[in-house]
Amino acid sequence: MLLAIDVGNTHTVLGLYEGEHLAHMWRVATNKTHTADELRIKLRGLLQAADVSRDAIDGAALASVVPALTLRWQEVARAEYGIDALACTAAAAGDLFPTDYANPAEIGADRVADAVAAKATYGAPVVVVDFGTATNIEVIDRDGKFAGGIIAPGVDTSANALFSRASRLAAIDLVDPHTAIGGSTEQAIQAGIVYGEADRVDGLVRRVFAQLGYDATVVATGGLAPRVAPLSAMIEHVDPELTLSGLRMLYEHCATAER
């Protein structure tokens, strides 16, 4: 089985693949202070709960935006399973990720994985909206090239900034208030943040289409995608496992190239 690990600033998503089938998926909080031993203990608990033995893991692929945890997860793969985790980068993706980007090395691993999976799954052109700590928008043009994208503060990031700076505003659950005109402070905040995010994404995607000169399929992923995507006029698909799928495709591509 392939262990796919997507380490974000807020959450870490882990998946176990049997071939192309995602057999298990977990979303856990990212703790940047965790040691490799602590990560091993957490991973063991997840696998035991799913009744998956250590011997079943024979490959690992990793996308991480937290450099310290990149090294620790690689250490976990070596110590626990005796394997080297494949780190997702633009260079590792090779011809799966054609781009004219000025400095491909600076493209985040999650952005690379999203682009690889989106093009393979939905074709080109395609736009990915990844709702995480940051809201990332990735653009793959009609020639299948990664054209670039947009990085903006994510929903929770914006909300936490508001709550930390406005002493009279308490943190609330960020859900659809079903009204654009808030009848309470809670509804007013929800309308501003949740509807504001959906409309911001729609506006940015329209700008992308205008610059490309044509429309594209729009796919959403990330932890907050199920909340925001239904409120968007531009998002057509929600794919919770898009990043993990990209890691699987990258791993299979590299394994084939080595044969």
Side-chain angles (χ1 to χ4, degrees), residues 10-26:
T10 304
H11 291 101
T12 296
V13 182
L14 303 101
L16 277 182
Y17 280 94
E18 293 179 325
E20 296 184 0
H21 170 63
L22 181 62
H24 302 281
M25 185 169 76
W26 304 275

Side-chain angles (χ1 to χ4, degrees), residues 198-238:
D199 289 349
R200 178 177 69 170
V201 166
D202 285 350
L204 290 172
V205 169
R206 289 188 180 100
R207 286 179 178 270
V208 168
F209 288 177
Q211 185 169 334
L212 289 174
Y214 49 83
D215 292 356
T217 302
V218 183
V219 184
T221 193
L224 291 170
R227 296 192 191 186
V228 181
L231 307 174
S232 164
M234 305 300 289
I235 294 171
E236 302 169 64
H237 306 279
V238 176

Side-chain angles (χ1 to χ4, degrees), residues 4-157:
I5 309 164
D6 173 24
V7 182
N9 284 294
T10 304
H11 291 101
T12 296
V13 182
L14 303 101
L16 277 182
Y17 280 94
E18 293 179 325
E20 296 184 0
H21 170 63
L22 181 62
H24 302 281
M25 185 169 76
W26 304 275
R27 180 180 295 272
V28 299
T30 295
N31 186 328
K32 298 177 183 179
T33 67
H34 271 164
T35 66
D37 287 338
E38 288 171 318
L39 294 175
R40 288 173 69 182
I41 291 170
K42 177 177 287 190
L43 181 57
R44 284 179 183 176
L46 294 173
L47 295 180
Q48 287 173 0
D51 196 27
V52 176
S53 69
R54 287 174 57 185
D55 295 340
I57 310 298
D58 56 11
L62 170 67
S64 173
V65 298
V66 185
L69 291 180
T70 302
L71 298 174
R72 292 171 199 154
W73 275 111
Q74 288 174 325
E75 184 179 336
V76 169
R78 284 191 294 269
E80 195 76 358
Y81 309 112
I83 56 179
D84 289 324
L86 173 65
C88 179
T89 64
D95 57 11
L96 290 181
F97 188 76
T99 183
D100 293 326
Y101 208 78
N103 183 11
E106 74 179 18
I107 304 172
D110 53 340
R111 301 177 70 194
V112 173
D114 284 347
V116 167
K119 184 172 72 169
T121 306
Y122 301 96
V126 62
V127 172
V128 180
V129 184
D130 192 337
F131 293 99
T133 304
T135 296
N136 293 337
I137 299 179
E138 319 305 345
V139 181
I140 295 86
D141 66 21
R142 60 171 38 146
D143 296 322
K145 286 187 176 182
F146 176 80
I150 298 166
I151 301 175
V155 177
D156 282 342
T157 302

Side-chain angles (χ1 to χ4, degrees), residues 2 35 141 174 185:
L2 171 68
T35 66
D141 66 21
L174 297 176
T185 300

